[in-house]
Amino acid sequence: MPALRLLGRKWLAASDDLVFPSIFELLFRFVWLVLIALVVEVLIPITWQCSSEGWLGGAFVRLYLCGTLALQATLLLLLAALALHSAKGTITDVDARKMVAPLLLLKVLLVLPEIALNAMGTMWMFCEVIECSVTDKFSSIVIQSIVLFNWVQLALTIFGLFMVFDPLGSVNYDDMQDTPNQARHHKKVTGLWSRRFRWAFCWLKRDEHGKEAFQQVAALLSALFRSTDLVPSDVVAGCVLLRVRQKRETREMRRIQMLNDEEPIYTTDVNKIFSETPPWMNLEDALHYLRLSIAAYGWPYVLYRHCFTGFCKLAKHLTCCCCRPKNSIVTDDNCCLCHFAGVKYMSKLSADDIIFASFNNRVFELPFCVIADHERESIVVAVGGSISLRDIFTDFTAGSEKFEADGLPEETAAHKGMSMGAAKMLRRLMPVLDRAFQQFPHYDLVLTGHSLGAGVAVLVALKLRPRYPHLKVFAFSTPAGLISREAARFTESFVLTIGVGDDLVMRLSVHSIENLRTKVIQTIHATKLPKYRIMLNGFGYALFGVPARDLESTWRRPEELEAHAADDSDALLAQGVSTEAALVSRNVFARRFSSARLFTAGRILHIVRRKRMGIEKKVRTQEPTYEMRWACAEDFMELQVMPRMLLDHLPENVHRTMQTVLEERHSYRVTHVV
């Protein structure tokens, strides 16, 4: 940071990204240099005995051997200098690495003689046009191997240049600060991302809304990094630093709570948690409906959970193509009804209990099942979550659009992709519900879903509630950027949302990503470590956690971290922070991709793993594994860089957590009764 300037343009790499590639290539070239030196010592005397007519004899071979030896030695010194200079200074200290660009340019220019020499080696070893055969088997194998590896290395170099090539790299960062230029650049970047999506995901263009999704996601990606000079490695390093910063902030908060003798926010007492809630809000029913929402994922989830035995588990539930009924309740499944087999296996229900199942998976269209739950006397609509690339585009069509339903404020906004998914689902769902309630008129209506399915279930419930006023929603790991705040409060009476631990998706919204971008830039400017040290520390953190010493030693001035968190550009400039960090921080709310701020819906139960303290770490006790509290939507507005942020979102981990809470509650009761 900023991006590397070379050959009159900027690239998607920085001057401090070359430490590890240079060291890696240096080690390989050192081995090549030693081998070539041995070959030269053996073959040079022999080349004088070869034919000396023209250039296709001994002189040709000597030129190749001596030229290769000299070039490898030169590249070895060049790579050592490149690694040394690239490791200098912090991420923002570009002046310390001013020699990187000329050194890199020299290395790029040396590719031309390297290609020429490698072509000579190919002619000698593989084309049989050089009248100088090698009888020494070791030398022959070494030369052939070096020639082949050199071609591979050159191909990787070209591929690397392609990967870091920025099609819009000729645009100067300073020119982008003017509003007209910034708008034009944003439009160009949006078009570039849209073309990339159309090329990479060409099969999605056949979907009715495929092109619209490409355009929406391209505009989002362009807006997130508008007017910044970040490269991908800066984002990775920034996330590692944010992990350290957030752990430091958590430690300080815990220390303040202990000094103030504050009552713990979380509790292990499940009865206390549900003491003031309606009877339908309970973990037993929630676990039951979670199982049905997982079943809506179909056969891919079965194979994901049972990689080697999944097919055997599905086999007994499959339907022969010849035996498939004409008036099937299943639509958009394959000939053997594999999705339907997955639903039956995971839900433990018979085909007679499944009233309708649609497995049409397109952009803005989600699979769902309508189930007659006789045990709880309810009609259950289970909506599938994200399990395909099409679902990912629905997720990332994250702008807000107006959402209308009876009982909601007029200016209510909702996640655009989920809103469109809910509208499409309603058109197919309404006739099915009419038939279901004609058959079971005294049953209740329950909607459930996980992740994307939870968000769509909430929006569908808001549309259905005027017709079914007693409906309930069990939502699991609901995305943060779902609906406006007042509408979210309105849903608290009929929506139970359950989230586990550091779930990324429950904190994922356009606003939280934009805040993360700003924090990444501010945190990068606050560190005193070079990027290669940050990357090495990141591997250590992933394996062993963040040591206490790094919470302070990572920063220039630890006490000023809070000042960097403020959106005050003048303060940042006064602290010596670069113009870019100040510009990104200035008027951050005026530069949002979406003007409406969206929140998680429903009454939110947050379950976390209980941190064992003191003697509990050494002695195994019967204390509960998890603790929980009722949270508010504002608690999930900031992204947290945590080790389990992806694992805590997976449906099997949510299921395992809830099951453990219920089992420990039961065993705790039994122990106390005895």
Side-chain angles (χ1 to χ4, degrees):
M1 180 184 182
L4 178 68
R5 266 69 175 176
L6 189 67
L7 300 176
R9 66 185 303 116
K10 71 182 183 71
W11 300 75
L12 296 177
S15 57
D16 52 0
D17 287 340
L18 303 174
V19 178
F20 296 118
S22 297
I23 292 174
F24 186 73
E25 187 178 347
L26 187 146
L27 294 175
F28 269 95
R29 290 194 181 275
F30 177 75
V31 175
W32 295 350
L33 181 66
V34 173
L35 292 174
I36 291 173
L38 293 174
V39 170
V40 167
E41 186 178 356
V42 172
L43 293 185
I44 285 293
I46 299 176
T47 60
W48 295 102
Q49 303 172 9
C50 297
S51 172
S52 58
E53 298 179 2
W55 282 96
L56 299 181
F60 182 94
V61 175
R62 286 193 295 275
L63 177 62
Y64 167 73
L65 291 174
C66 295
T68 302
L69 185 65
L71 182 63
Q72 293 297 332
T74 303
L75 285 171
L76 207 65
L77 295 173
L78 184 60
L79 287 168
L82 200 57
L84 182 65
H85 283 279
S86 183
K88 290 182 177 180
T90 63
I91 295 178
T92 56
D93 188 6
V94 185
D95 291 337
R97 299 185 294 275
K98 60 185 178 182
M99 292 301 296
V100 169
L103 288 171
L104 186 60
L105 181 60
L106 179 59
K107 185 181 184 305
V108 172
L109 293 176
L110 287 177
V111 169
L112 297 176
E114 189 172 13
I115 292 174
L117 287 169
N118 217 40
M120 293 172 66
T122 304
M123 292 173 61
W124 179 30
M125 285 288 105
F126 299 101
C127 297
E128 298 182 356
V129 296
I130 308 300
E131 298 177 3
C132 189
S133 59
V134 180
T135 56
D136 182 59
K137 190 173 182 180
F138 171 77
S139 300
S140 177
I141 292 174
V142 168
I143 296 296
Q144 289 177 5
S145 301
I146 288 175
V147 168
L148 292 174
F149 276 115
N150 261 327
W151 285 125
V152 172
Q153 187 269 331
L154 287 167
L156 291 175
T157 300
I158 295 171
F159 177 74
L161 289 173
F162 173 76
M163 291 299 294
V164 299
F165 178 76
D166 185 356
L168 302 177
S170 59
V171 180
N172 291 325
Y173 175 76
D174 294 332
D175 295 338
M176 290 191 293
Q177 303 315 312
D178 298 329
T179 302
N181 290 337
Q182 190 181 99
R184 283 195 295 271
H185 182 72
H186 172 59
K187 187 175 181 179
K188 288 181 180 179
V189 175
T190 301
L192 176 64
W193 276 108
S194 185
R195 288 192 297 274
R196 286 171 175 170
F197 289 145
R198 286 198 298 269
W199 177 80
F201 309 108
C202 54
W203 67 91
L204 296 185
K205 291 191 292 186
R206 296 193 300 268
D207 287 11
E208 181 183 355
H209 299 283
K211 292 182 179 179
E212 181 182 356
F214 290 162
Q215 192 68 22
Q216 290 286 331
V217 178
L220 172 62
L221 292 175
S222 174
L224 287 179
F225 296 100
R226 186 190 303 178
S227 299
T228 65
D229 209 9
L230 292 171
V231 298
S233 62
D234 291 333
V235 178
V236 175
C239 289
V240 173
L241 292 171
L242 272 179
R243 172 73 185 107
V244 180
R245 175 178 174 176
Q246 288 168 353
K247 184 164 184 178
R248 183 179 184 277
E249 291 171 351
T250 302
R251 185 192 65 176
E252 295 302 318
M253 288 176 58
R254 190 177 294 120
R255 184 179 298 171
I256 291 171
Q257 288 176 357
M258 292 177 64
L259 290 174
N260 296 337
D261 198 21
E262 295 180 4
E263 189 174 333
I265 300 175
Y266 289 86
T267 179
T268 58
D269 190 346
V270 179
N271 294 329
K272 180 181 178 181
I273 285 288
F274 290 98
S275 61
E276 298 180 0
T277 60
W280 67 270
M281 283 191 184
N282 61 79
L283 281 180
E284 289 82 0
D285 285 348
L287 184 63
H288 172 76
Y289 291 119
L290 174 60
R291 181 162 52 84
L292 298 182
S293 67
I294 293 175
Y297 280 106
W299 68 263
Y301 187 82
V302 179
L303 295 184
Y304 155 69
R305 291 292 293 150
H306 309 282
C307 299
F308 300 106
T309 60
F311 179 77
C312 298
K313 294 179 183 299
L314 289 172
K316 62 180 180 181
H317 297 286
L318 294 174
T319 302
C320 178
C321 304
C322 304
C323 303
R324 182 173 177 175
K326 294 182 179 180
N327 299 323
S328 176
I329 59 171
V330 182
T331 64
D332 304 297
D333 203 349
N334 54 32
C335 62
C336 296
L337 301 183
C338 292
H339 278 296
F340 193 53
V343 172
K344 288 188 289 184
Y345 169 74
M346 287 186 287
S347 65
K348 310 301 181 187
L349 296 174
S350 66
D352 296 334
D353 294 330
I354 302 173
I355 300 172
F356 179 78
S358 169
F359 298 106
N360 188 26
N361 190 204
R362 296 285 185 270
V363 177
F364 305 141
E365 293 185 52
L366 275 69
F368 67 94
C369 303
V370 182
I371 299 167
D373 185 359
H374 302 299
E375 181 183 351
R376 285 168 171 77
E377 295 188 343
S378 59
I379 301 296
V380 181
V381 180
V383 188
S386 302
I387 203 167
S388 69
L389 279 172
R390 290 180 167 90
D391 298 327
I392 299 299
F393 277 97
T394 303
D395 284 318
F396 280 93
T397 305
S400 59
E401 70 172 14
K402 189 173 182 180
F403 185 81
E404 296 179 346
D406 291 348
L408 293 182
E410 291 185 3
E411 299 303 320
T412 296
H415 184 287
K416 183 172 183 177
M418 296 183 198
S419 177
M420 295 179 69
K424 285 184 169 292
M425 179 178 161
L426 272 169
R427 288 198 288 270
R428 306 190 74 176
L429 179 62
M430 292 298 290
V432 178
L433 289 181
D434 290 339
R435 293 198 305 270
F437 281 105
Q438 286 177 4
Q439 188 176 359
F440 306 103
H442 62 285
Y443 278 23
D444 295 324
L445 177 60
V446 175
L447 290 93
T448 185
H450 172 266
S451 189
L452 173 62
V456 172
V458 170
L459 298 182
V460 169
L462 285 168
K463 293 283 191 180
L464 290 175
R465 198 160 186 265
R467 191 169 182 178
Y468 304 98
H470 300 295
L471 65 76
K472 305 293 184 294
V473 180
F474 289 85
F476 305 94
S477 305
T478 313
L482 178 60
I483 200 165
S484 301
R485 187 65 186 102
E486 289 303 316
R489 288 194 182 94
F490 175 75
T491 63
E492 290 179 4
S493 61
F494 62 93
V495 177
L496 172 62
T497 296
I498 296 180
V500 172
D502 301 317
D503 190 337
L504 170 69
V505 175
M506 285 199 71
R507 295 170 172 83
L508 193 63
S509 66
V510 173
H511 277 68
S512 65
I513 295 175
E514 288 178 324
N515 290 340
L516 179 71
R517 170 203 62 191
T518 305
K519 281 190 173 183
V520 162
I521 293 175
Q522 294 170 344
T523 306
I524 283 174
H525 283 82
T527 185
K528 65 179 182 182
L529 299 179
K531 188 186 290 184
Y532 80 93
R533 280 279 307 278
I534 296 170
M535 295 300 193
L536 288 175
N537 288 348
F539 283 109
Y541 299 159
L543 296 173
F544 309 109
V546 182
R549 64 178 182 276
D550 286 7
L551 301 182
E552 303 295 335
S553 62
T554 304
W555 318 106
R556 288 195 181 101
R557 293 179 293 273
E559 66 278 2
E560 292 183 0
L561 276 176
E562 296 304 320
H564 281 260
D567 290 332
D568 187 348
S569 58
D570 295 330
L572 288 171
L573 287 170
Q575 294 165 19
V577 176
S578 74
T579 306
E580 182 188 352
L583 284 167
V584 172
S585 297
R586 181 183 295 140
N587 299 325
V588 67
F589 289 101
R591 301 173 58 237
R592 297 290 190 185
F593 172 74
S594 175
S595 57
R597 197 168 190 177
L598 305 180
F599 296 80
T600 304
R603 192 163 187 183
I604 306 168
L605 179 66
H606 189 214
I607 307 174
V608 299
R609 183 174 291 272
R610 192 172 67 88
K611 188 174 180 63
R612 298 183 182 275
M613 306 295 291
I615 195 172
E616 284 186 298
K617 293 182 179 180
K618 301 178 181 179
V619 180
R620 187 175 181 86
T621 64
Q622 293 185 345
E623 292 297 319
T625 308
Y626 296 95
E627 55 188 4
M628 62 200 76
R629 72 178 176 107
W630 292 112
C632 60
E634 286 78 7
D635 295 332
F636 300 92
M637 294 307 295
E638 295 294 331
L639 281 174
Q640 301 289 321
V641 182
M642 297 292 181
R644 290 190 58 87
M645 60 185 185
L646 294 175
L647 294 175
D648 284 340
H649 179 70
L650 298 178
E652 64 270 20
N653 289 336
V654 178
H655 186 277
R656 187 182 302 114
T657 297
M658 294 172 60
Q659 193 170 36
T660 302
V661 170
L662 289 173
E663 288 174 354
E664 290 180 345
R665 177 189 183 188
H666 177 71
S667 62
Y668 185 76
R669 282 178 177 174
V670 171
T671 303
H672 276 63
V673 168
V674 175

